[in-house]
PDB file of all heavy atoms in Angstrom:
ATOM      1  N   CYS A  93      -5.633  -3.928  20.439  1.00 98.00           N
ATOM      2  CA  CYS A  93      -5.799  -3.108  19.249  1.00 98.00           C
ATOM      3  C   CYS A  93      -5.063  -3.807  18.087  1.00 98.00           C
ATOM      4  O   CYS A  93      -5.646  -3.744  17.018  1.00 98.00           O
ATOM      5  CB  CYS A  93      -5.268  -1.725  19.503  1.00 98.00           C
ATOM      6  SG  CYS A  93      -6.257  -0.830  20.650  1.00 98.00           S
ATOM      7  N   GLU A  94      -3.880  -4.274  18.272  1.00 98.00           N
ATOM      8  CA  GLU A  94      -3.193  -5.011  17.192  1.00 98.00           C
ATOM      9  C   GLU A  94      -4.029  -6.203  16.795  1.00 98.00           C
ATOM     10  O   GLU A  94      -4.152  -6.486  15.533  1.00 98.00           O
ATOM     11  CB  GLU A  94      -1.894  -5.476  17.705  1.00 98.00           C
ATOM     12  CG  GLU A  94      -0.781  -4.525  17.651  1.00 98.00           C
ATOM     13  CD  GLU A  94      -0.493  -4.077  16.077  1.00 98.00           C
ATOM     14  OE1 GLU A  94      -0.592  -4.841  15.173  1.00 98.00           O
ATOM     15  OE2 GLU A  94      -0.202  -2.855  15.897  1.00 98.00           O
ATOM     16  N   ALA A  95      -4.657  -6.952  17.724  1.00 98.00           N
ATOM     17  CA  ALA A  95      -5.443  -8.086  17.305  1.00 98.00           C
ATOM     18  C   ALA A  95      -6.676  -7.616  16.396  1.00 98.00           C
ATOM     19  O   ALA A  95      -7.007  -8.244  15.471  1.00 98.00           O
ATOM     20  CB  ALA A  95      -6.020  -8.807  18.632  1.00 98.00           C
ATOM     21  N   ARG A  96      -7.255  -6.506  16.840  1.00 98.00           N
ATOM     22  CA  ARG A  96      -8.427  -6.028  16.098  1.00 98.00           C
ATOM     23  C   ARG A  96      -7.990  -5.484  14.582  1.00 98.00           C
ATOM     24  O   ARG A  96      -8.752  -5.789  13.694  1.00 98.00           O
ATOM     25  CB  ARG A  96      -9.093  -4.927  16.785  1.00 98.00           C
ATOM     26  CG  ARG A  96     -10.016  -5.534  17.858  1.00 98.00           C
ATOM     27  CD  ARG A  96     -10.569  -4.463  18.808  1.00 98.00           C
ATOM     28  NE  ARG A  96     -11.443  -5.006  19.964  1.00 98.00           N
ATOM     29  CZ  ARG A  96     -11.077  -5.667  20.905  1.00 98.00           C
ATOM     30  NH1 ARG A  96      -9.717  -6.008  21.085  1.00 98.00           N
ATOM     31  NH2 ARG A  96     -11.888  -6.129  21.785  1.00 98.00           N
ATOM     32  N   ILE A  97      -6.934  -4.845  14.557  1.00 98.00           N
ATOM     33  CA  ILE A  97      -6.510  -4.290  13.223  1.00 98.00           C
ATOM     34  C   ILE A  97      -6.233  -5.457  12.330  1.00 98.00           C
ATOM     35  O   ILE A  97      -6.462  -5.482  11.131  1.00 98.00           O
ATOM     36  CB  ILE A  97      -5.363  -3.193  13.492  1.00 98.00           C
ATOM     37  CG1 ILE A  97      -5.399  -2.296  12.174  1.00 98.00           C
ATOM     38  CG2 ILE A  97      -3.980  -3.856  13.549  1.00 98.00           C
ATOM     39  CD1 ILE A  97      -4.557  -1.035  12.392  1.00 98.00           C
ATOM     40  N   LYS A  98      -5.543  -6.477  12.838  1.00 97.00           N
ATOM     41  CA  LYS A  98      -5.135  -7.621  12.128  1.00 97.00           C
ATOM     42  C   LYS A  98      -6.424  -8.375  11.603  1.00 97.00           C
ATOM     43  O   LYS A  98      -6.475  -8.854  10.459  1.00 97.00           O
ATOM     44  CB  LYS A  98      -4.343  -8.634  12.981  1.00 97.00           C
ATOM     45  CG  LYS A  98      -3.798  -9.826  12.206  1.00 97.00           C
ATOM     46  CD  LYS A  98      -2.921 -10.620  13.268  1.00 97.00           C
ATOM     47  CE  LYS A  98      -2.442 -11.958  12.595  1.00 97.00           C
ATOM     48  NZ  LYS A  98      -1.796 -12.773  13.549  1.00 97.00           N
ATOM     49  N   GLU A  99      -7.406  -8.441  12.465  1.00 97.00           N
ATOM     50  CA  GLU A  99      -8.625  -9.153  12.101  1.00 97.00           C
ATOM     51  C   GLU A  99      -9.487  -8.410  11.093  1.00 97.00           C
ATOM     52  O   GLU A  99      -9.972  -9.014  10.301  1.00 97.00           O
ATOM     53  CB  GLU A  99      -9.359  -9.391  13.450  1.00 97.00           C
ATOM     54  CG  GLU A  99     -10.655 -10.161  13.301  1.00 97.00           C
ATOM     55  CD  GLU A  99     -11.515  -9.989  14.551  1.00 97.00           C
ATOM     56  OE1 GLU A  99     -10.947 -10.096  15.731  1.00 97.00           O
ATOM     57  OE2 GLU A  99     -12.741  -9.666  14.439  1.00 97.00           O
ATOM     58  N   ARG A 100      -9.448  -7.090  11.240  1.00 98.00           N
ATOM     59  CA  ARG A 100     -10.512  -6.311  10.447  1.00 98.00           C
ATOM     60  C   ARG A 100     -10.029  -5.501   9.336  1.00 98.00           C
ATOM     61  O   ARG A 100     -10.687  -5.355   8.310  1.00 98.00           O
ATOM     62  CB  ARG A 100     -11.215  -5.334  11.478  1.00 98.00           C
ATOM     63  CG  ARG A 100     -11.925  -6.003  12.480  1.00 98.00           C
ATOM     64  CD  ARG A 100     -12.546  -5.000  13.504  1.00 98.00           C
ATOM     65  NE  ARG A 100     -13.076  -5.615  14.651  1.00 98.00           N
ATOM     66  CZ  ARG A 100     -13.345  -4.848  15.857  1.00 98.00           C
ATOM     67  NH1 ARG A 100     -13.173  -3.506  15.827  1.00 98.00           N
ATOM     68  NH2 ARG A 100     -13.731  -5.419  16.952  1.00 98.00           N
ATOM     69  N   LEU A 101      -8.834  -4.840   9.497  1.00 98.00           N
ATOM     70  CA  LEU A 101      -8.500  -3.840   8.484  1.00 98.00           C
ATOM     71  C   LEU A 101      -8.259  -4.421   7.138  1.00 98.00           C
ATOM     72  O   LEU A 101      -8.756  -3.843   6.124  1.00 98.00           O
ATOM     73  CB  LEU A 101      -7.225  -3.160   8.890  1.00 98.00           C
ATOM     74  CG  LEU A 101      -6.844  -2.001   7.971  1.00 98.00           C
ATOM     75  CD1 LEU A 101      -7.645  -0.737   8.136  1.00 98.00           C
ATOM     76  CD2 LEU A 101      -5.347  -1.567   8.250  1.00 98.00           C
ATOM     77  N   PRO A 102      -7.611  -5.595   6.985  1.00 98.00           N
ATOM     78  CA  PRO A 102      -7.388  -6.055   5.568  1.00 98.00           C
ATOM     79  C   PRO A 102      -8.631  -6.480   4.799  1.00 98.00           C
ATOM     80  O   PRO A 102      -8.550  -6.691   3.639  1.00 98.00           O
ATOM     81  CB  PRO A 102      -6.343  -7.269   5.771  1.00 98.00           C
ATOM     82  CG  PRO A 102      -5.907  -7.124   7.104  1.00 98.00           C
ATOM     83  CD  PRO A 102      -6.900  -6.376   7.969  1.00 98.00           C
ATOM     84  N   ASP A 103      -9.734  -6.660   5.535  1.00 98.00           N
ATOM     85  CA  ASP A 103     -11.053  -6.956   4.841  1.00 98.00           C
ATOM     86  C   ASP A 103     -11.795  -5.805   4.458  1.00 98.00           C
ATOM     87  O   ASP A 103     -12.911  -5.931   4.005  1.00 98.00           O
ATOM     88  CB  ASP A 103     -11.791  -7.914   5.629  1.00 98.00           C
ATOM     89  CG  ASP A 103     -11.086  -9.323   5.980  1.00 98.00           C
ATOM     90  OD1 ASP A 103     -10.421  -9.778   5.029  1.00 98.00           O
ATOM     91  OD2 ASP A 103     -11.300  -9.853   7.010  1.00 98.00           O
ATOM     92  N   MET A 104     -11.261  -4.551   4.709  1.00 98.00           N
ATOM     93  CA  MET A 104     -11.976  -3.346   4.323  1.00 98.00           C
ATOM     94  C   MET A 104     -11.649  -3.039   2.912  1.00 98.00           C
ATOM     95  O   MET A 104     -10.500  -3.141   2.482  1.00 98.00           O
ATOM     96  CB  MET A 104     -11.616  -2.261   5.261  1.00 98.00           C
ATOM     97  CG  MET A 104     -12.049  -2.606   6.662  1.00 98.00           C
ATOM     98  SD  MET A 104     -11.969  -1.153   7.812  1.00 98.00           S
ATOM     99  CE  MET A 104     -13.181  -1.726   8.980  1.00 98.00           C
ATOM    100  N   GLY A 105     -12.645  -2.753   2.140  1.00 98.00           N
ATOM    101  CA  GLY A 105     -12.446  -2.807   0.690  1.00 98.00           C
ATOM    102  C   GLY A 105     -12.701  -1.429   0.019  1.00 98.00           C
ATOM    103  O   GLY A 105     -13.130  -1.425  -1.183  1.00 98.00           O
ATOM    104  N   ALA A 106     -12.364  -0.318   0.605  1.00 98.00           N
ATOM    105  CA  ALA A 106     -12.429   1.015  -0.017  1.00 98.00           C
ATOM    106  C   ALA A 106     -11.272   1.156  -1.038  1.00 98.00           C
ATOM    107  O   ALA A 106     -10.112   1.026  -0.592  1.00 98.00           O
ATOM    108  CB  ALA A 106     -12.474   2.127   0.949  1.00 98.00           C
ATOM    109  N   GLY A 107     -11.532   1.287  -2.265  1.00 98.00           N
ATOM    110  CA  GLY A 107     -10.482   1.515  -3.298  1.00 98.00           C
ATOM    111  C   GLY A 107     -10.707   2.736  -3.910  1.00 98.00           C
ATOM    112  O   GLY A 107     -11.715   3.451  -3.714  1.00 98.00           O
ATOM    113  N   TYR A 108      -9.762   3.078  -4.789  1.00 98.00           N
ATOM    114  CA  TYR A 108      -9.936   4.345  -5.602  1.00 98.00           C
ATOM    115  C   TYR A 108     -10.928   4.094  -6.717  1.00 98.00           C
ATOM    116  O   TYR A 108     -11.032   3.061  -7.338  1.00 98.00           O
ATOM    117  CB  TYR A 108      -8.545   4.757  -6.164  1.00 98.00           C
ATOM    118  CG  TYR A 108      -7.594   5.212  -5.070  1.00 98.00           C
ATOM    119  CD1 TYR A 108      -6.792   4.276  -4.508  1.00 98.00           C
ATOM    120  CD2 TYR A 108      -7.578   6.462  -4.533  1.00 98.00           C
ATOM    121  CE1 TYR A 108      -5.938   4.610  -3.424  1.00 98.00           C
ATOM    122  CE2 TYR A 108      -6.785   6.806  -3.538  1.00 98.00           C
ATOM    123  CZ  TYR A 108      -5.947   5.929  -2.946  1.00 98.00           C
ATOM    124  OH  TYR A 108      -5.141   6.290  -1.909  1.00 98.00           O
ATOM    125  N   GLU A 109     -11.706   5.224  -7.009  1.00 97.00           N
ATOM    126  CA  GLU A 109     -12.662   5.237  -8.018  1.00 97.00           C
ATOM    127  C   GLU A 109     -12.125   4.734  -9.344  1.00 97.00           C
ATOM    128  O   GLU A 109     -11.098   5.198  -9.711  1.00 97.00           O
ATOM    129  CB  GLU A 109     -13.233   6.654  -8.076  1.00 97.00           C
ATOM    130  CG  GLU A 109     -14.002   7.056  -9.231  1.00 97.00           C
ATOM    131  CD  GLU A 109     -15.438   6.451  -9.232  1.00 97.00           C
ATOM    132  OE1 GLU A 109     -15.814   6.111  -8.207  1.00 97.00           O
ATOM    133  OE2 GLU A 109     -16.002   6.294 -10.416  1.00 97.00           O
TER     134      GLU A 109
END
Side-chain angles (χ1 to χ4, degrees):
C93 291
E94 272 303 322
R96 282 169 178 73
I97 204 163
K98 184 179 176 186
E99 180 192 318
R100 298 176 194 163
L101 185 73
D103 296 326
M104 297 192 154
Y108 292 92
E109 166 70 24

